[in-house]
C-alpha cells in the first residue's frame, strides 16, 4: 500500500498497514464520509475490494464506536449504480465519452459563456463531501476564471453560523472539542437531534450526565435526544430566537450573568439590554409555547453551572432569521461567561463531514480561503500573486440560492456542480428545477446519477472518499487525513484530478500533482492551517500557527476581533414566514433521520439503511391524525403553497399537535418548502412552513 505524500506522512505512520499474505489484504485508515463528527475507522481491503469496516478503538472521537451510517458507508464503495464513465446527454439518451472529450466539452462551454456573457454568467458549486484540497481547487478554478460565484451546500446548513459567529466573536467555528462535552455540567441543546444526526456525540453527553450534568433540550419534537434530557423545552418551530432572548433577559433581570467576563471580554451589553426591553418571560412564553417557569429554570441552570455548553444544529440555523438565532446563542454564552474553559463553549453541529473544511477553503462566496474577505485589497494581492492571476474578483458573488435566481432571470448561463444535488437539497424544488432548466449548460460531477445529474448536459464520474487521498476538517476543527483504499470504478476519477485537468484544459496555472502538493499550498496560504504540516495519527486542530501547537479550546484569553472583545448583537425575533391559517392549518418542519443522510442520494442506495427506512414518513400527532381520520401507515398528501408531496403517516405522541415533521432525505420533501431566506446569510427557511395534510383516497 502506497503511503500518501501529505506533509508529515512517513513510513512510521501506523494507521496505513499493509498485511502481506496470500490474500493481499490491507487495512487502510479513513474518516467517516457522513456527518461532521469525524469518526475514524479502518477499511479492510482484499484484492482491491473494500470488505469490512473496523472502527478505531484508539480514535479520540469515536473510541471504537460507529453509528449505522458509519457502518453502512462500506456499501457505497462498490455499489453497482456508481457512475463509471463521462456521459453526454443526446437526443437519444446518454452518450459515453472519453475524459479528453468530456473535459474539452466542459472547458469549451465554460470558456464560451464566460467570454460572451462575462465570468459572472458562470456558477460553481463545490462540495462539502470533497476534501479540503478539492474544495481549494474548485474555488481557485472559479476565481481564476474571474468568477465570484462559488458556493457550497454550507449555504443550506450553517451559512448563518459562519456569518453570525464571526460577527459576534470573530471566529465561525465550534469553540471546544466534542469530547469536552464530558466536562460540562450543563448542556443546552437547541435545534439539534444529535442522538440521530451525530450519534457519537451522545457518548460524551452521557458521560457528562453520569457525572451529574443537567441536559436541557429545546426541540418542538420529543426526539431521541429529548429522551435523554433532564428538561425538555417543546418550543414552537421557528421560535428559537424568542426562547433564547427570553432566557437572556431573565438572566440579566436576575443578575445571573458573569459581570467580570462581560466587563473584560465583551462590548455592547447596553444595546443588548435595551433590545430586550419588551422580551419578558411572559412574552417568550406566548411566542414559544414553553412556560415562563420552565424558561426561567433552564436559564438559571445554564447561567449558574460552573461549566455550560450550547450544542445547536439546523433547528436554529435553517430559518429566515438563522443569523439572529446564532447571534442569540452567542449572546447567551457571552453573558454567562461560558466560553474559553473546559466544559463550556458553543458547538454548532455541522452536517456533512467536510462542511467546516469547505468553508475554510473558500467554498463560500463571501470568503477566499482562510475567511479572507474579497473586498480587502490584500486578499486579491496575496492570492493573485500565489496563483499567477490578474483577474481575481475583488467582490462577493452569488450564493447558491442567488445562482438559482440568476438562472431564472437569465443572467447565469452555465453551472458546474460538484458533489451537490440542489434538486433535492434546495427549497422550492419546482423553482430549482426551472432554474437549472434555464441554463445553457449544466455539468454535474458526482458518484451517482443524482436527480440533479439527470438534468445535466454533461455528467462526470467522481471517486468516492475511499478512493482518494486528502484531508477533511471535522466539526471540531480537527483536520484529518484520508487514504486511498481502493480504485474508483470504471473510469471514475478523483475530483482533484478532474478539476486540475479541466483547469489545464482551460489554460490555467494548476501545477498540482496530488493532494500533498495542494495541502502544502493550503498550509502556506491559509493562516489558520499554517502549522498543520504534521497531522499525525489523529490530525490536528486549527488554528495552528506552529507545528504541533494548537488550542483545542478557543477564546481562552481574547477573541479574534479587532480589540479582542466579543460583541453582543441584538437578535431580533421575527415570526416564521408562514403561520398556519384556515387553508394550511398545520406547521411543517423538516429534519434528519438516523439511517439517512442529507439529500439521500447515497443512503437511498444503501441496502442496510433502506432495510431500516425506505420511504418518506409524515410524522403527525394523534390528535391531528384523529381529526383527519388518518391512522399509522396511511398514505397521505402534504400540501403547502409551494406544492404537494405524498408519504406514509407516522402517528406519534412525540410531535406536538399542529406540527408535522418530514425528513428531507427524499426528493419530495423540498417540493413543499419555499425560498424565503435569511437576508444576511441567505440560508433558506427550511424549518417552518404552513401546510395541510389529507389522507389519500
Ligand atoms: Fe459517521 Fe457521524 Fe456516525 Fe461518526 S457519528 S459514524 S462520523 S455518521
Amino acid at each position: 500500500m502506497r503511503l500518501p505524500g501529505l506533509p508529515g506522512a512517513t513510513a512510521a505512520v501506523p494507521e496505513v498497514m499493509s498485511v502481506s499474505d496470500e490474500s493481499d489484504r490491507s487495512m487502510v485508515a479513513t474518516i467517516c464520509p457522513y456527518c461532521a463528527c469525524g469518526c475514524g475507522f479502518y477499511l479492510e481491503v482484499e484484492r482491491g475490494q473494500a470488505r469490512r469496516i473496523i472502527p478505531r478503538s484508539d480514535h479520540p472521537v469515536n473510541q471504537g464506536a460507529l453509528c449505522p451510517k458509519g457502518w453502512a458507508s462500506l456499501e457505497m464503495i462498490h455499489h453497482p449504480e456508481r457512475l463509471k464513465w463521462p456521459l453526454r446527454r443526446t437526443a437519444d439518451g446518454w452518450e459515453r465519452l472519453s475524459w479528453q472529450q468530456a473535459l474539452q466539452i466542459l472547458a469549451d462551454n465554460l470558456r464560451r459563456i464566460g467570454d460572451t456573457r462575462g465570468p459572472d454568467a458562470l456558477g460553481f458549486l463545490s462540495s462539502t463531501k470533497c476534501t479540503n484540497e478539492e474544495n481549494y481547487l474548485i474555488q481557485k478554478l472559479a476565481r481564476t476564471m474571474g468568477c465570484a460565484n462559488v458556493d457550497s451546500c454550507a449555504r443550506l446548513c450553517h451559512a448563518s453560523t459562519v456569518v453570525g459567529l464571526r460577527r459576534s466573536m470573530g471566529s465561525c467555528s465550534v469553540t471546544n472539542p466534542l469530547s469536552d462535552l464530558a466536562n460540562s455540567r450543563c448542556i443546552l441543546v437547541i435545534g439539534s437531534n444529535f442522538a440521530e444526526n451525530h450519534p457519537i456525540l451522545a457518548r460524551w453527553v452521557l458521560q457528562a450526565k453520569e457525572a451529574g450534568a443537567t441536559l436541557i433540550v429545546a426541540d418542538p419534537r420529543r426526539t431521541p435526544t429529548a429522551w435523554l434530557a433532564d428538561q425538555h423545552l417543546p418550543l414552537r418551530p421557528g421560535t428559537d430566537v424568542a426562547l433564547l432572548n427570553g432566557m437572556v433577559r431573565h438572566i440579566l433581570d436576575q443578575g445571573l450573568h458573569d459581570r467580570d467576563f462581560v466587563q473584560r471580554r465583551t462590548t455592547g451589553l447596553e444595546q443588548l439590554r435595551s433590545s430586550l426591553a419588551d422580551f419578558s418571560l411572559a412574552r417568550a412564553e406566548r411566542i414559544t409555547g414553553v412556560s415562563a417557569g420552565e424558561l426561567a429554570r433552564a436559564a438559571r441552570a445554564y447561567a449558574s453551572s460552573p461549566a455550560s455548553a450550547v450544542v445547536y444544529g439546523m433547528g436554529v440555523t435553517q430559518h429566515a432569521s438563522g443569523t439572529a438565532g446564532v447571534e442569540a446563542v452567542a449572546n447567551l454564552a457571552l453573558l454567562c461567561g461560558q466560553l474559553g474553559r473546559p466544559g463550556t463553549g458553543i458547538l454548532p453541529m455541522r452536517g456533512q463531514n467536510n462542511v467546516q473544511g469547505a468553508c475554510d477553503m473558500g467554498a463560500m462566496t463571501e470568503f477566499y480561503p482562510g475567511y479572507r474577505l474579497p473586498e480587502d485589497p490584500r486578499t486579491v494581492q496575496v492570492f493573485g500573486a500565489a496563483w499567477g492571476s490578474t483577474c481575481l474578483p475583488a467582490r462577493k458573488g452569488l450564493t447558491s440560492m442567488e445562482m438559482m435566481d440568476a438562472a431564472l432571470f437569465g443572467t447565469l448561463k452555465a453551472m458546474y456542480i460538484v458533489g451537490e444535488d440542489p434538486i433535492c437539497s434546495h427549497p422550492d424544488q419546482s423553482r430549482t428545477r426551472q432554474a437549472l432548466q434555464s441554463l445553457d449548460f449544466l455539468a454535474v460531477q458526482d458518484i451517482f446519477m443524482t436527480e440533479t445529474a439527470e438534468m445535466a448536459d454533461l455528467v462526470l464520474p467522481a471517486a468516492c472518499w475511499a478512493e482518494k487521498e486528502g484531508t477533511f476538517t471535522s466539526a471540531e476543527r480537527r483536520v484529518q487525513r484520508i487514504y486511498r483504499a481502493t480504485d474508483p470504478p470504471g473510469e471514475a476519477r478523483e475530483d482533484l484530478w478532474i478539476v486540475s485537468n479541466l483547469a489545464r484544459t482551460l489554460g490555467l496555472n494548476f501545477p498540482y500533482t496530488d493532494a500533498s502538493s495542494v495541502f502544502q499550498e493550503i498550509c502556506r496560504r491559509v493562516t489558520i492551517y499554517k502549522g498543520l504540516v504534521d497531522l499525525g495519527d489523529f490530525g490536528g486542530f486549527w488554528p495552528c500557527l506552529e507545528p504541533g501547537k494548537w488550542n483545542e479550546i478557543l477564546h481562552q484569553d481574547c477573541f479574534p476581533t479587532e480589540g479582542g472583545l466579543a460583541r453582543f448583537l441584538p437578535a431580533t425575533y421575527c415570526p416564521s414566514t408562514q403561520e398556519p391559517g384556515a387553508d394550511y392549518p398545520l406547521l411543517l418542519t423538516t429534519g434528519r433521520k438516523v439511517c439517512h443522510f442529507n439529500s439521500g442520494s447515497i443512503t437511498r442506495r444503501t441496502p442496510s439503511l433502506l432495510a431500516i427506512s425506505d420511504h418518506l414518513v409524515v410524522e403527525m400527532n394523534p390528535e391531528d391524525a384523529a381529526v383527519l381520520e388518518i391512522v399509522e401507515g396511511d398514505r397521505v398528501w402534504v400540501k403547502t403553497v409551494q406544492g404537494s408531496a405524498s408519504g406514509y403517516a407516522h402517528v406519534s405522541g412525540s410531535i406536538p399537535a399542529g406540527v408535522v415533521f418530514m425528513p428531507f432525505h427524499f426528493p419530495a420533501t423540498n417540493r413543499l418548502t419555499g425560498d424565503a431566506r435569511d437576508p444576511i446569510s441567505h440560508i433558506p427557511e427550511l424549518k417552518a412552513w404552513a401546510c395541510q395534510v389529507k389522507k389519500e383516497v
Side-chain angles (χ1 to χ4, degrees):
M1 179 63 57
R2 183 166 68 88
L3 282 174
L6 286 171
T10 69
V13 173
E15 69 264 38
V16 176
M17 296 188 292
S18 285
V19 181
S20 298
D21 63 13
E22 285 174 4
S23 61
D24 186 24
R25 276 185 299 139
S26 58
M27 301 246 288
V28 181
T30 194
I31 302 300
C32 178
Y34 283 117
C35 91
C37 285
C39 296
F41 56 81
Y42 294 107
L43 280 169
E44 187 181 277
V45 182
E46 189 176 3
R47 295 192 180 91
Q49 298 282 302
R51 298 285 191 208
R52 205 155 66 104
I53 279 177
I54 303 164
R56 292 191 67 166
S57 55
D58 57 346
H59 196 282
V61 173
N62 54 309
Q63 298 180 327
L66 291 177
C67 82
K69 287 188 287 285
W71 283 110
S73 61
L74 186 70
E75 294 171 45
M76 83 171 79
I77 302 173
H78 305 296
H79 196 287
E81 291 174 28
R82 287 284 303 277
L83 289 169
K84 298 184 182 68
W85 299 281
L87 300 170
R88 170 168 57 181
R89 177 184 299 285
T90 68
D92 303 322
W94 294 104
E95 175 194 6
R96 185 171 154 180
L97 300 175
S98 70
W99 271 108
Q100 193 180 6
Q101 289 171 310
L103 291 172
Q104 197 62 55
I105 290 168
L106 179 50
D108 287 349
N109 278 284
L110 294 178
R111 184 63 78 202
R112 172 181 62 81
I113 291 168
D115 286 349
T116 54
R117 308 292 297 238
D120 285 343
L122 307 175
F124 295 77
L125 287 189
S126 193
S127 175
T128 58
K129 292 201 287 279
C130 286
T131 62
N132 288 324
E133 293 76 9
E134 290 162 344
N135 276 285
Y136 184 84
L137 293 192
I138 294 163
Q139 62 81 35
K140 176 181 169 181
L141 172 68
R143 288 174 166 137
T144 50
M145 292 188 76
C147 174
N149 306 331
V150 58
D151 217 34
S152 67
C153 79
R155 184 66 51 197
L156 306 177
C157 62
H158 275 278
S160 38
T161 291
V162 176
V163 174
L165 288 187
R166 268 177 63 85
R167 281 162 40 124
S168 290
M169 298 192 287
S171 171
C172 58
S173 64
V174 73
T175 60
N176 293 47
L178 304 185
S179 60
D180 187 48
L181 281 171
N183 298 316
S184 299
R185 288 299 160 263
C186 177
I187 302 171
L188 170 63
V189 181
I190 178 162
S192 163
N193 178 12
F194 66 74
E196 290 203 71
N197 305 335
H198 302 89
I200 291 301
L201 213 63
R203 297 165 65 80
W204 306 112
V205 173
L206 289 172
Q207 277 189 27
K209 273 179 65 78
E210 277 165 23
T214 301
L215 177 65
I216 305 162
V217 175
D219 196 301
R221 297 185 300 141
R222 194 155 45 80
T223 62
T225 305
W227 298 346
L228 305 174
D230 299 288
Q231 191 187 3
H232 176 212
L233 308 175
L235 76 172
R236 288 194 188 100
T239 62
D240 319 77
V241 176
L243 182 133
L244 290 159
N245 279 353
M247 287 174 67
V248 167
R249 161 80 187 271
H250 182 71
I251 288 165
L252 276 169
D253 286 352
Q254 297 296 308
L256 297 170
H257 53 296
D258 184 336
R259 289 183 173 78
D260 178 56
F261 185 93
V262 168
Q263 204 236 325
R264 284 187 301 107
R265 306 283 309 273
T266 69
T267 179
L269 179 66
E270 289 318 310
Q271 289 96 309
L272 176 72
R273 197 192 294 274
S274 53
S275 75
L276 298 172
D278 64 348
F279 239 106
S280 63
L281 278 185
R283 182 174 175 221
E285 174 181 319
R286 281 196 300 279
I287 296 170
T288 63
V290 179
S291 75
E294 289 296 298
L295 291 172
R297 188 176 144 215
R300 179 171 290 279
Y302 177 85
S304 57
S305 120
S308 296
V310 184
V311 175
Y312 73 85
M314 299 197 305
V316 168
T317 60
Q318 280 186 328
H319 285 294
S321 55
T323 303
V326 172
E327 289 169 353
V329 169
N331 289 340
L332 178 68
L334 290 169
L335 188 65
C336 300
Q338 299 285 15
L339 286 159
R341 293 177 284 112
T344 66
I346 298 177
L347 290 90
M349 290 312 300
R350 262 78 175 186
Q352 183 71 52
N353 63 343
N354 203 33
V355 176
Q356 182 67 59
C359 298
D360 298 346
M361 295 302 117
M364 278 185 86
T365 189
E366 296 96 327
F367 305 109
Y368 273 68
Y371 301 99
R372 300 188 73 137
L373 298 172
E375 301 83 7
D376 180 345
R378 288 168 301 179
T379 301
V380 167
Q381 266 170 25
V382 166
F383 285 102
W387 297 338
S389 173
T390 55
C391 66
L392 299 185
R395 65 190 181 285
K396 171 185 168 300
L398 302 175
T399 65
S400 66
M401 298 290 294
E402 291 171 319
M403 287 184 212
M404 300 304 158
D405 301 340
L408 284 169
F409 295 148
T411 50
L412 193 87
K413 291 293 183 187
M415 286 190 78
Y416 175 32
I417 298 178
V418 180
E420 300 282 327
D421 189 8
I423 288 291
C424 287
S425 56
H426 273 228
D428 198 348
Q429 190 177 100
S430 68
R431 188 174 189 275
T432 307
R433 196 174 285 283
Q434 256 182 299
L436 295 179
Q437 276 165 348
S438 308
L439 296 170
D440 283 356
F441 181 76
L442 172 63
V444 173
Q445 183 168 308
D446 215 312
I447 68 170
F448 289 115
M449 185 63 88
T450 62
E451 271 76 3
T452 304
E454 277 169 9
M455 296 183 63
D457 300 291
L458 185 71
V459 175
L460 303 178
C464 79
W465 102 107
E467 297 151 359
K468 57 188 171 186
E469 294 172 358
T471 58
F472 288 139
T473 304
S474 73
E476 61 176 3
R477 296 177 280 110
R478 186 190 292 270
V479 184
Q480 303 186 89
R481 290 188 301 236
I482 55 166
Y483 300 91
R484 182 173 174 133
T486 62
D487 291 333
E491 291 173 17
R493 292 285 183 273
E494 296 173 34
D495 298 276
L496 189 142
W497 182 95
I498 302 169
V499 174
S500 298
N501 280 284
L502 169 63
R504 289 193 275 266
T505 307
L506 283 158
L508 300 170
N509 175 31
F510 272 57
Y512 310 102
T513 49
D514 54 16
S516 171
S517 57
V518 184
F519 192 73
Q520 285 166 11
E521 180 170 317
I522 291 169
C523 292
R524 285 198 302 276
R525 303 294 166 213
V526 178
T527 309
I528 52 178
Y529 279 62
K530 186 176 166 193
L532 290 172
V533 290
D534 184 353
L535 293 178
D537 284 0
F538 305 115
F541 288 79
W542 71 251
C544 175
L545 304 186
E546 281 181 56
K549 288 192 181 167
W550 52 71
N551 281 335
E552 293 187 6
I553 298 177
L554 295 182
H555 314 321
Q556 294 183 36
D557 303 312
C558 66
F559 292 93
T561 57
E562 232 176 275
L565 301 180
R567 287 176 285 268
F568 287 110
L569 296 167
T572 306
Y573 166 70
C574 299
S576 288
T577 317
Q578 286 191 350
E579 292 291 336
D583 292 340
Y584 298 99
L586 303 169
L587 198 56
L588 169 69
T589 190
T590 66
R592 295 191 175 107
K593 300 298 281 182
V594 68
C595 54
H596 281 288
F597 195 68
N598 286 7
S599 71
S601 64
I602 299 173
T603 53
R604 281 185 284 112
R605 290 180 166 93
T606 299
S608 63
L609 297 176
L610 285 172
I612 304 170
S613 168
D614 65 353
H615 56 267
L616 179 57
V617 291
V618 178
E619 201 173 306
M620 58 193 307
N621 181 274
E623 276 178 37
D624 297 325
V627 170
L628 297 165
E629 298 180 347
I630 289 169
V631 297
E632 178 74 18
D634 275 351
R635 195 170 172 91
V636 295
W637 280 93
V638 184
K639 191 167 174 229
T640 65
V641 288
Q642 310 300 330
S644 58
S646 73
Y648 293 89
H650 174 47
V651 181
S652 165
S654 295
I655 190 163
V659 179
V660 171
F661 171 83
M662 292 171 74
F664 50 59
H665 315 298
F666 292 81
T669 302
N670 273 324
R671 284 185 211 147
L672 303 168
T673 51
D675 92 330
R677 52 190 95 153
D678 179 50
I680 305 170
S681 67
H682 292 222
I683 198 166
E685 172 64 69
L686 291 164
K687 288 286 185 269
W689 286 96
C691 73
Q692 56 173 249
V693 180
K694 285 199 174 131
K695 183 173 170 172
E696 188 172 279
V697 285

